[in-house]
Amino acid sequence: MPAEVGTSEMHQINSSENATQETQIENVAEKSAEDGYNWRKYGQKHVKGSENPRSYYKCTHPNCEVKKLLERSLDGQVTEVVYKGRHNHSKPQPNRRLAAGAVPSSQGEERYDGVATIEDKPSNI
DNA sequence: CTTATTTGACCTAGG
DNA sequence: CCCTAGGTCAAATAA
């Protein structure tokens, strides 16, 4: 469309300028193949051979230095999941949120026997 | 206030 | 010695 000179400027209606990523889609579904453990993402890199970003996660448990690699496809499908290491304690209960600021200090601590899941795997190669 | 998450920078290993 | 690839850390931000 000819005519018109560069004098229109950008009057775009910026409803609430999102300097950062606000429109992140409220995903009510899962976030990333949650396996019951709590992971803290510590990095994301793009590996060769796969045009997919690889996410690096680490168990947020004390004394549990287990790492986990999550590779996703362009469709959001997990192409590969890799668990590095072994958990030193059983799976945490679905009782998310265990603030560290509040010391338990014997507060009706229900000892949930770690029996629910003991995915032992000697991996007989 | 505290923790989880994000992103770029930095580090190590190999050729 | 330089470059690539992969892996980890740390500051900033969001909830």
Side-chain angles (χ1 to χ4, degrees):
Chain A
M1 35 182 80
E4 223 110 323
V5 209
T7 322
S8 325
E9 216 97 313
M10 289 221 215
H11 272 216
Q12 233 60 32
I13 19 129
N14 252 14
S15 23
S16 54
E17 40 290 303
N18 296 339
T20 27
Q21 3 140 219
E22 230 168 279
T23 338
Q24 185 137 54
I25 310 168
E26 296 115 55
N27 224 336
V28 194
E30 303 114 276
K31 305 171 232 64
S32 47
E34 185 110 5
D35 47 12
Y37 287 102
N38 300 318
W39 304 94
R40 160 196 157 235
K41 191 199 283 187
Y42 71 87
Q44 180 177 56
K45 278 294 261 214
H46 167 268
V47 288
K48 188 187 111 173
S50 286
E51 289 298 298
N52 313 319
R54 196 179 251 164
S55 310
Y56 293 77
Y57 290 88
K58 185 190 155 268
C59 196
T60 62
H61 282 256
N63 261 113
C64 201
E65 310 235 314
V66 179
K67 288 182 207 139
K68 170 199 201 182
L69 321 178
L70 199 311
E71 200 179 309
R72 285 230 208 171
S73 199
L74 305 160
D75 236 1
Q77 303 302 302
V78 178
T79 330
E80 183 161 67
V81 188
V82 181
Y83 290 87
K84 226 181 171 173
R86 269 277 266 155
H87 292 286
N88 294 306
H89 63 80
S90 41
K91 227 194 313 187
Q93 23 177 161
N95 206 327
R96 292 282 216 142
R97 205 125 203 131
L98 195 73
V103 53
S105 216
S106 57
Q107 227 208 30
E109 256 275 322
E110 294 273 311
R111 192 54 100 188
Y112 248 86
D113 272 46
V115 180
T117 166
I118 305 268
E119 272 126 79
D120 227 84
K121 211 206 146 232
S123 64
N124 45 312
I125 181 70

